Each structure stands twice: as structure tokens, then as C-alpha cells.
Amino acid sequence: MTRGEKGMQPKISAFFKRQAPEPETSSGGDTHREGTCGMEVKRPKSCADGKVLNKKRNYAQFHLELGQPDFLLRMCSVCGMTYARGNDDDEKAHKAYHKSYFEGVPFKGWRNETVVARSEGGDRIILVTDENSCARNSKVQEVIKVVQKELGFGEGQLLHKLCKVYLFISSQRIVGCLVAEPIKTAHKVIPGSTEENGSDLPVDKIEPVKTNHTLEFGKISFKREVLKRHDHSDKNKEEYRDPGAIICEKEDVPAHCGFRAIWVVPSRRRKRIGSQLMDAARKSFLEGETLCISQCAFSPPTSSGKALARSYCKTSAFLVYKEQDA
């Protein structure tokens, strides 16, 4: 070996020492020789040892965000609650709230209830008084929370100290609620004061009229039909008008009881529960006196609220009050 070769040998050895051995597939853990330098490399143990195959695997559900409007949160089309799908806590909370909203808030009863009305089927209407305990107040707040969300009241804006709350109890559930307050004056609604909206016309008042507008796609043709509405007399037009803005007379009239909010669960609507609540309020709002319908007024109603007021008062000229009249 020459002198130059002796000087190169340490560098070559150092080069191969720093190089990591490359694993190769083998049927066992036997050793073999690699490279020209005569180094022995021990093969890593294969999957046959069971260390990888027996390892517990964790799985997670992933979702693709492709611009969905409800990717993170979903709003229930029935109860209006927003929750995260797939989250156990949110799913459980939504299920409980949905059932309370649609079927009524669970209610086992109170001791010494102030019952103001009963029905033959066992249903009852109770008046919530100021002497109620904290447990009773918590149940009332649970109901008021649902009513506020349904009718569009802000949090804490529905109740005040002078309000009286009537609850309709059926099958151990609160299925209706009426919030009444004392008022001094109200204003009479001018019949037919809202703008006409043909969408409120009953189906039997609409007749299809054939036209010549036809779209053809090969052997398939589509004919366009126009819906023609019958003209109504001025006397009956108000029955088909949209309950949007309400115009009242400027002159006020005396009134004593204001129906601030009326709510019935969706599954029990159109069964006269709202009317029974208002009857109970008229008979018990003032001690020892039954109020006439003409002495009661409604807060600015929703579309369904206007239909209820018109049906209950048997006229479109019912009374409406504002915050200034209370």
C-alpha cells in the first residue's frame, strides 16, 4: 500500500460510518453483509412480529368544506335552534329543546296552584303569581325563553313587574302561554287598512286560465298557466288582505287588559287554546270583575296573531295598544 493510499483510507472509513443502513425486506431478522467495506447491518424486524399490526388505530371523521352555508352550524327548520351536527352535547340539547318547542315544556305541577280554568279533558289554566318559589320561577323562565324566541322578543324584554302569566297545562306539559299587562287606552284598527296581497286568497278563489305559452323539448312540451283571481267586493276584501302594517284610528278608547304575547306549541295550534287563555285572563285579570272583549287589546300582532284577534273578537276592528298606552 502506497503512502497516498494510507492517507485516503481513514476518510473512506469515516464516510461509510456516517451512512445510515437502508432497511430491506426479509423473511426474518438475519444479518447480511452490505457494501464493499464489509460492514454488517442488522435488518429491522418486519411486520410479522405483530408490533404494527396489533397497534390500536384511532379513527376520526373529517368533513370537506365546499362553501356549504351550514358547514359548522345547522339551524333547525322547525324550532329554529342552531347547533353543531355530530357534537353529542349539541345534539342532545337540540333534541330536548325541539321536543319542548313542538310538544310543550315538561311540567309535573306545583303545590297550591292558582287554577283559573279547567276543562272536561283534565286540562287546566294556572295563573303565575308573585308568591311563587324559585323553582316555579325557573320553570316560567324556561317557557318565556321559548316564547321570546318564537315571537321575536329580545332577551328579558317580554316580562316586567306588572305582567301576569297564564299557562295552559295539558298531559303534564305547558302547551300555551299568555302574558297580560294592565293598560289604560288602546286604538281601534281600521278595517282593510293594510295593503292587499293576493297570496292570501283562498285556493277556491283562484282559477287557472290557459294561455298559448308553450315550451317544447323534443317530444315533451310544457304549457304555462296564469292564475286569475276573482274580484271581491269591498265588504269582503279585508278578509283576504296581508296582515302587514296596521293602521289604527287616532282617537284612543279606554281599555284595561293588554295581551302582550300569546303562544301555543305548533302541535296544538288551531284547537282554541289561545281563545281559552284569553277567556281565563278576562275573568281573572281584575279581581271580582269579568272584562268584556272590548276592554281588551292586543300588542301589534304578527300575521297569525292578527288572524287570532280577528277570530276571537269577531271583527277586523279589534283594539291594538302600544307601549305608551300601558
Side-chain angles (χ1 to χ4, degrees), residues 158-259:
L158 179 56
L159 287 182
H160 56 76
K161 294 181 179 180
L162 299 178
C163 286
K164 291 186 177 182
V165 180
Y166 295 84
L167 302 177
F168 192 100
I169 314 300
S170 177
S171 302
Q172 294 188 342
R173 286 187 175 274
I174 301 174
V175 298
C177 176
L178 168 65
V179 179
E181 63 180 340
I183 59 175
K184 297 179 181 179
T185 58
H187 299 266
K188 184 177 294 186
V189 174
I190 299 176
S193 60
T194 57
E195 295 182 359
E196 183 175 359
N197 186 343
S199 62
D200 288 339
L201 293 177
V203 178
D204 58 351
K205 300 299 181 180
I206 301 175
E207 63 175 5
V209 179
K210 295 183 179 180
T211 62
N212 296 326
H213 300 285
T214 305
L215 297 176
E216 295 184 358
F217 298 92
K219 297 181 180 180
I220 302 175
S221 62
F222 297 91
K223 291 184 178 181
R224 179 183 177 187
E225 293 184 353
V226 177
L227 297 180
K228 181 179 179 181
R229 291 171 171 80
H230 288 287
D231 294 332
H232 298 274
S233 62
D234 294 337
K235 182 178 180 181
N236 296 328
K237 271 186 178 181
E238 62 191 60
E239 298 181 4
Y240 307 106
R241 293 181 182 271
D242 176 47
I246 296 178
I247 301 177
C248 303
E249 297 178 355
K250 293 183 179 180
E251 184 180 358
D252 55 8
V253 295
H256 300 289
C257 178
F259 299 139

Side-chain angles (χ1 to χ4, degrees), residues 9 12-13 15-16 19 33-41:
Q9 185 63 28
I12 295 175
S13 300
F15 173 79
F16 280 101
Q19 184 178 6
R33 296 181 180 272
E34 284 189 0
T36 57
C37 61
M39 294 181 59
E40 291 186 358
V41 180

Side-chain angles (χ1 to χ4, degrees), residues 247-292:
I247 301 177
C248 303
E249 297 178 355
K250 293 183 179 180
E251 184 180 358
D252 55 8
V253 295
H256 300 289
C257 178
F259 299 139
R260 185 173 176 85
I262 304 175
W263 171 80
V264 179
V265 295
S267 60
R268 301 292 297 273
R269 290 174 184 173
R270 299 187 180 277
K271 295 183 179 180
R272 299 197 73 257
I273 291 180
S275 299
Q276 294 180 57
L277 284 168
M278 288 185 284
D279 287 341
R282 289 194 300 109
K283 295 176 182 179
S284 60
F285 189 78
L286 296 180
E287 188 175 356
E289 182 179 353
T290 299
L291 297 175
C292 300

Side-chain angles (χ1 to χ4, degrees), residues 95-147:
K95 185 177 181 180
Y97 180 83
H98 186 98
K99 189 171 184 178
S100 297
Y101 169 83
F102 191 76
E103 299 181 5
V105 178
F107 182 74
K108 295 182 179 180
W110 295 328
R111 293 182 179 179
N112 303 322
E113 293 178 345
T114 305
V115 181
V116 294
R118 291 184 181 274
S119 66
E120 296 179 357
D123 300 337
R124 65 190 187 277
I125 298 176
I126 62 176
L127 171 62
V128 181
T129 60
D130 295 336
E131 292 78 16
N132 292 320
S133 63
C134 296
R136 297 188 180 188
N137 287 331
S138 62
K139 180 60 66 174
V140 173
Q141 290 301 324
E142 184 179 354
V143 178
I144 292 300
K145 184 179 179 180
V146 178
V147 177

